[in-house]
Amino acid sequence: MIPDSLSSGHSKSEEQHRRDICIAGRWMYERGFIVACEGNLSVRLEDGRILTTPTCMNKGILDPGDLVVTDSNGRQLAGDRKVSSELDMHLLFYRMRPDVQAVCHAHPPTATGFAVAGRSLNQALLPEVIVGLGQIPLVQYATPGTPELSASLEPFVPHYDALLLANHGAVTCGPDLLTAFFRMETIEHSAKITLAAELAGEPVLLSGREVAKLMAARPRYFVSPPPGGGAELPITSDGGETTDDDVKLTRSELDALIDEAVRKDRNRR
Ligand code: 13P
């Protein structure tokens, strides 16, 4: 069950955010997305301060008092423990994405397996993933916790809500912690299904027309893509790799978009 505080969108006290981070840390640990002292979580508080997990602790058994508060530049303002070694990666999201209020980093094993194999999750396979995330690109390897990792991430952050980190793990962001956590779950679930499909046979990609219909359906699922636009769409059975900014439509894709618009208009009446 999702605790009330995590599920509601109302404005929260720092205490509630502290409890939410501990719950999300426990979920990540229980689902095997992290082991030992891996992973980190943060939330941007209403006044712009950052509430984050401490370094070198198991994130599944944190107490609210273990968390650390920093300013938007990462200067520690409160907390007895040391901040996460990967705080700079979180700060990059907050700096580049005013819409982002929470960041989640973990090493979910199947998705990380793809990242270690040098593979992104960029194929048009699952409607929920396409609607929710478009695709999940792979960010080039750089040493965790260094400015080089932030430099690798920078070109992707404005355009994507979920990323694989080569030879490392995954990072997600969202307008709240629950959304960022769900995106991490979606990455791992999608990686598991992709792997199962590859073991079962040859995965069947959706067509560009089907992907266009799913993109057109995003408002129905209350999905707002990253405000930066420009995300690459997943690879389809007809091989079309396009971007949000530069969409080439076949006649049938255009028909699908018109169908969706007409359907929406009918529902409104
Ligand atoms: P921290 O404990 O410093 O947050 O680091 C955990 C981690 O996942 C390193 O990749």
Side-chain angles (χ1 to χ4, degrees):
M1 225 202 34
I2 295 170
D4 269 0
S5 89
L6 255 178
S7 62
S8 56
H10 62 74
S11 88
K12 294 179 183 181
S13 67
E14 183 179 321
E15 273 320 302
Q16 285 171 311
H17 284 300
R18 283 177 181 267
R19 281 197 296 271
D20 287 355
I21 287 182
C22 295
I23 292 167
R26 198 176 69 230
W27 285 352
M28 294 216 300
Y29 188 59
E30 286 172 354
R31 284 159 177 72
F33 296 175
I34 49 174
V35 298
C37 298
E38 295 176 357
N40 28 71
L41 295 153
S42 71
V43 164
R44 174 158 44 193
L45 300 172
E46 268 180 20
D47 59 8
R49 290 176 307 140
I50 308 299
L51 181 64
T52 173
T53 49
T55 190
C56 296
M57 278 191 77
N58 181 296
K59 313 309 179 312
I61 51 171
L62 290 174
D63 278 328
D66 292 325
L67 304 186
V68 179
V69 180
T70 76
D71 67 13
S72 57
N73 296 314
R75 200 161 45 91
Q76 188 154 347
L77 301 175
D80 296 333
R81 300 186 182 274
K82 197 166 173 280
V83 291
S84 165
S85 59
E86 303 205 278
L87 180 65
D88 282 352
M89 175 169 71
H90 295 237
L91 296 179
L92 177 73
F93 279 88
Y94 295 128
R95 213 168 28 249
M96 299 188 84
R97 296 275 302 270
D99 60 308
V100 163
Q101 310 306 340
V103 176
C104 187
H105 166 58
H107 309 151
T110 315
T112 303
F114 276 77
V116 167
R119 290 184 58 187
S120 59
L121 292 164
N122 65 349
Q123 295 178 316
L125 294 174
L126 296 163
E128 285 77 9
V129 179
I130 297 166
V131 168
L133 297 172
Q135 62 144 296
I136 304 150
L138 177 69
V139 176
Q140 198 191 326
Y141 179 79
T143 310
T146 64
E148 288 74 36
L149 180 58
S150 295
S152 285
L153 274 160
E154 213 174 297
F156 293 90
V157 168
H159 313 296
Y160 298 94
D161 292 324
L163 295 163
L164 289 180
L165 306 173
N167 296 81
H168 181 178
V171 60
T172 58
C173 64
D176 53 64
L177 189 60
L178 191 63
T179 306
F181 174 78
F182 280 166
R183 287 174 175 160
M184 186 61 73
E185 271 194 322
T186 300
I187 292 185
E188 180 62 357
H189 200 57
S190 149
K192 280 183 184 165
I193 293 171
T194 304
L195 187 61
E198 289 179 357
L199 291 172
E202 176 120 5
V204 177
L205 271 60
L206 296 175
S207 66
R209 180 174 194 266
E210 291 304 332
V211 169
K213 284 194 325 198
L214 292 168
M215 297 319 251
R218 278 180 153 182
R220 220 178 333 135
Y221 295 97
F222 305 104
V223 172
S224 351
E232 283 194 5
L233 294 176
I235 295 169
T236 58
S237 59
D238 19 27
E241 248 194 300
T242 56
T243 68
D244 272 354
D245 289 341
D246 175 24
V247 180
K248 293 185 190 75
L249 293 177
T250 62
R251 177 74 214 194
S252 57
E253 288 163 0
L254 181 63
D255 287 346
L257 290 174
I258 293 170
D259 287 351
E260 174 72 18
V262 170
R263 202 191 49 73
K264 250 193 247 155
D265 188 51
R266 244 189 248 122
N267 287 348
R268 255 202 303 270
R269 284 180 207 178

